[in-house]
Amino acid sequence: MRYQVKEKLVSLGILAPSIMAIGVFVYGFIGRTIQVSLTDWNDIVSFMQGEFEFVGLENYFRLFNDTRFITGLWNNLFFMLFFILGALALGIMMAVFINDKPRGHFIFQNIYLFPMAVSFVVTGTVWRWIFAPGSPRSPRGINMLFFQLGRPELMWEWFTSTFSIGPFNIALVTIIIAAVWQFSGYTMAMWLAGLRGIPEQLIEAARIDGASKWQIFTRILFPMQKAITLSAVILLAHISLKAFDLVYVMTGSGPRNVTDIPAVYMYETTFRGNNYSRGAGISIILLMMVGILIIPYLVNTFREE
Amino acid sequence: MRRVVLAVMLSLALIVAGAAPALAQGGQVEIVNWWTAGGEEDALVALFEVFREQHPEFEPISSAVAGGAGTDAKAVMITRLVGGNPPDSFQVHGGAELFYSYVDPGFMQPVTDLLEEWGVMDDFNPEILDLVRGDDGEIYSVPLNIHRSNVLWTNQRILDEHGLEAPETIEEMFEVFEALEEAGVTPLALGDLNRWPTLHLFENLMLATMGPEDYNGLWDGSVSFDHEGVIEALEILDRALDYVNPDHAALDWQGAAELIVEDEAAFNVMGDWAEGYFRAVDWEPLEDYGWTTVPGTEGNFMVVTDTFGLPEGISNPEGAEAWLKTVASREGQDAFNPIKGSIPARVDPDVDRYSIYLQSSIDDFAVDTLTPSIAHGSAAPEGFVSELEDILNEFVADRDIDHTVNRIMTIAGDYLE
Amino acid sequence: MQDYGKFKYLVYLILFVLTLFFLLPMYVLFATSFKSFAEVSRQAMWLLPSEYTLAAFGEAYARLIPHLRNSLVLVIPSTLISAMLGSLNGYVLSEWKFRGSDTIFALLLFGMFIPYQSILVPLVRFLQSIGLYGSLQGLIFVHIVYGIPITTLIFRNYYADVPSSLTEAAKVDGAGIFRVYSKIFFPISIPAFVVVIIWQFTNIWNEFLFAVTITQTPAQQPITVALNNLAGSQVVQWNVQMSGAILTALPTLLVYIIFGRYFIRGILAGSAKG
């Protein structure tokens, strides 16, 4: 028993610096943000002089009656969903192929990873140029390519389209494509790292038993990579909530806010509008959203273990 | 394992290596601004040269933060000021932005006495000084440059080809637009990706329909936002939006100016920083591009002014004062502005140093009525501006005038007392 | 590859099409970088430069290079230290569980979702109170702290698949926490380290918001601030901006190429896992 107590103390000792740092830098600051979100700090004067009144949940009520915020929430949900699915599907596919060492795999791998290395400000601009539609008589970007290839029927409004299917704004597709482009390489990297750990013998045995590539993937590779896939999902979810730079540069919030996300709204509210309390309210709602999405995952993981 | 220990040691060594003292030397003057590239940066360098000549004991340090037309710089400034780390001087738009964000919270010291001591008070355009004068009568920053925002830029080649003239009234404007539309040219280029260009257009239309007295009255509360001129401006905006490029939501202002350069569009309403773009792509004034005031705003001058102030609690007050003295000087303003593509806030520029467009702007500045820009922070608090941008963004999509006026009335009640 | 049979060519086709997708924006990026500003327009975005010029690269290089040292001093320690912390945390949280350790993990994990923009003011105030504001050390510290959740997550889930039989045997032999780590876990962690290093290096190298608020003078600012400042506030010279982005990405690309080899070589492939 003494042995266990000692090990437990050592464990806690290892974790202690991280726990303290996160305690202050995350939970301390979240506490502060919650406090701000319950006040009426809507300009720097009151912020500086500490003159504020607690207004309860007023900022939150206001946000939930704000069409821009609601649109942004929906957009972020759909963006998160399709971005995670897209990056995961593409990343896993690339990892499985590259793991089989096709000719030139090293080059392919680095080409797929490269987009992540380039500043968002610039990749966002390039994607904006690509998806900026131009006008029918003088198309631009990808439309220009379609036009010159003699397929003008493929020309489309892209991210300036205000068309939507239910709450899903179709303009988001362009941002999803850009984000998948930028991050599926990393999903591939995470999966490749995991595949390193799966013993060759296991796959060899399955192959001798006559399992097809697909069966090996669904019965062996995918189940064994579950933990890593979940890491990837969390990471991608994290990216999709913080896609501020990409969206801000690429499309802005768009006509009728079709490409707005709360991170952009928060930035504009806080730093352009000096509306600290409402900005803080947006942060807290985002965090609660994350809580709702992430807690089922955690519960699920712990139950399995 | 040993290699890991080594790596961690190396890391710690690098951290220590990075610990070079960050203390400013006695003679350094830190100046926050967002002029980081192209002609803007060259202009700042020229101004620094003058500063070094006039005050060789000080060395200017430019802490530049670009991006978001000053929004990023502002985020940094406010974080620094709130944290009690002010730079010695920083760039700020004159007018509402200066007062609501910096003076009222108590970050700034007045500079009235300094200007009087230097004897330059009368050298400035008095209406510009009004933009940096607080309710207490004190002046809080030194205006360095003036950009004009009510400019209608024209593609001369397109106008010549179709035998058209730049319009002077709103009605003429729509006649010319119609002719261009029939000729297969986009009449008006707009790039409202970043929202403010719509507001920029709208405020110019308001100036056209309301005139300067009523427009200026909006900000002291003597005129209400349900003024017929506001409604009329929305109606004109609604009509004008039928003549803009269909992909306006995909372009920033530079993208709209690009449409002019590509001979795709004939007109663009933009501040005179657009001339910086035309020059950068080697366009010739009067040959390739021309300019006039936005129809209906002749005799008025919508101003955007960059100023420098004196924060409280700075580390080098003498250096900051020396810097402001250079900013206020004729040499400083004449070194900076011709390169920047703006005109001095002083009334005594060395006109020969300025481009042909800027000379016409200098002439107008001396006689026109000045009005503050909303979109560029001079007229109204930033909370109002940011919400007005949202409202106009919705208007561009929905074109609902009554709803828009109602919403503007609501935010006017919230922010403008 | 041989066991794909007749699908082999399909695989190559897919890889090739994906390569096109990945290179299309890169093409625009590179083509624009070699143009003069007068030639940069969306009308000509798909065209190669009519006259190749290195002027944009030259300008970007001159503006960026003074900040390279700051970025290296920033990114190397913060990447390595946060990777090490994450590895130890992940190891303890997956192998030496105690009551409440799962909750600690969940709470650490939640930390990665905090929106950085909304905590700038308290962050600056806190850094001031501990004397780290306005210095590269402060920035390193912040990146290490906010790197903890992600590095811990990746390592913890990577270690979660290691069979407990291995650890149990070692524990029975009387090996302590550090011994089990250095003898069993650390040697099989290379792929996870690579993944974490790639992530942290990329993000810290490109991070702008903290960099610009926490450091003050140009002498301290990392390369990403200089890259952002290539833009100016009004006219943006996209040829300079894009060549700057390419130059800035080179060190990161180098990291990918050096460490990426570990994905494929597989010399350290976990004999332990399975």
Side-chain angles (χ1 to χ4, degrees), chain A residues 140 253 256-257 267 272, chain B residues 72 74 195 262 389 398:
Chain A
R140 289 289 187 276
S253 46
R256 228 173 252 153
N257 301 315
Y267 179 80
R272 202 162 154 68
Chain B
D72 285 347
K74 214 189 87 193
R195 287 170 183 244
E262 290 172 349
E389 285 173 356
D398 296 338

Side-chain angles (χ1 to χ4, degrees), chain A residues 134-135, chain B residues 186-191 241 243-249 251 255-256 259 265:
Chain A
S135 62
Chain B
T186 302
L188 184 63
L190 174 69
L241 284 170
Y243 294 98
V244 304
N245 44 305
D247 59 345
H248 57 88
L251 307 180
L259 289 181

Side-chain angles (χ1 to χ4, degrees), chain A residues 250-299:
Chain A
M250 183 173 158
T251 66
S253 46
R256 228 173 252 153
N257 301 315
V258 286
T259 54
D260 195 30
I261 58 169
V264 170
Y265 192 24
M266 178 174 66
Y267 179 80
E268 288 184 349
T269 309
T270 310
F271 290 120
R272 202 162 154 68
N274 293 342
N275 229 318
Y276 297 95
S277 298
R278 209 182 309 158
I282 296 173
S283 312
I284 297 302
I285 294 173
L286 276 185
L287 273 176
M288 292 196 317
M289 226 173 78
V290 170
I292 293 167
L293 292 172
I294 200 179
I295 284 166
Y297 151 72
L298 294 173
V299 169

Side-chain angles (χ1 to χ4, degrees), chain B residues 16-46:
Chain B
V16 176
L23 291 171
Q25 288 157 24
Q28 290 186 337
V29 185
E30 192 201 355
I31 294 144
V32 168
N33 64 86
W34 56 84
W35 294 317
T36 58
E40 301 177 306
E41 192 197 17
D42 298 341
L44 186 67
V45 168

Side-chain angles (χ1 to χ4, degrees), chain A residues 61-92:
Chain A
F61 290 133
R62 192 166 165 168
L63 280 170
F64 280 112
N65 284 319
D66 180 344
T67 40
R68 178 171 176 187
F69 181 66
I70 300 297
T71 313
L73 272 187
W74 277 112
N75 286 344
N76 216 151
L77 254 154
F78 285 111
F79 171 60
M80 189 188 282
L81 180 70
F82 291 117
F83 164 63
I84 292 177
L85 286 178
L88 217 52
L90 212 58
I92 291 175

Side-chain angles (χ1 to χ4, degrees), chain A residues 42-45 47-49 62 66-68 128-129 131-138 140 157 159-160 162 248-257 260 265 267-276 278, chain B residues 68 71-72 74-75 78-79 81-82 100-102 104-107 181 184-187 193-196 246-247 249-252 259 262 264 375 382-383 385-387 389-390 393-394 397-398 407 414-415:
Chain A
N42 288 332
D43 57 60
I44 305 182
V45 183
F47 183 73
M48 270 313 286
Q49 299 169 347
R62 192 166 165 168
D66 180 344
T67 40
R68 178 171 176 187
R128 165 150 57 86
W129 289 1
F131 285 126
S135 62
R137 68 173 165 250
S138 173
R140 289 289 187 276
E157 290 174 298
F159 64 84
T160 61
T162 50
Y248 195 67
V249 173
M250 183 173 158
T251 66
S253 46
R256 228 173 252 153
N257 301 315
D260 195 30
Y265 192 24
Y267 179 80
E268 288 184 349
T269 309
T270 310
F271 290 120
R272 202 162 154 68
N274 293 342
N275 229 318
Y276 297 95
R278 209 182 309 158
Chain B
T71 308
D72 285 347
K74 214 189 87 193
I78 287 175
T79 312
L81 289 170
V82 169
Y100 286 102
S101 293
Y102 302 107
D104 294 353
F107 294 134
E181 184 79 29
V185 177
T186 302
L193 176 85
N194 304 107
R195 287 170 183 244
W196 64 261
D247 59 345
L251 307 180
D252 51 15
L259 289 181
E262 290 172 349
E264 291 287 332
E382 287 146 314
V385 178
S386 133
E387 298 216 26
E389 285 173 356
D390 271 2
N393 182 49
E394 187 183 305
D398 296 338
R407 284 191 67 192
D414 286 352
Y415 291 97

Side-chain angles (χ1 to χ4, degrees), chain A residues 83 87 116 120 178-187 236 239, chain C residues 199:
Chain A
F83 164 63
M116 194 173 80
F120 292 144
V180 166
W181 174 80
Q182 197 128 26
F183 288 106
S184 53
Y186 191 69
T187 318
L236 293 168
I239 293 165
Chain C
W199 177 262

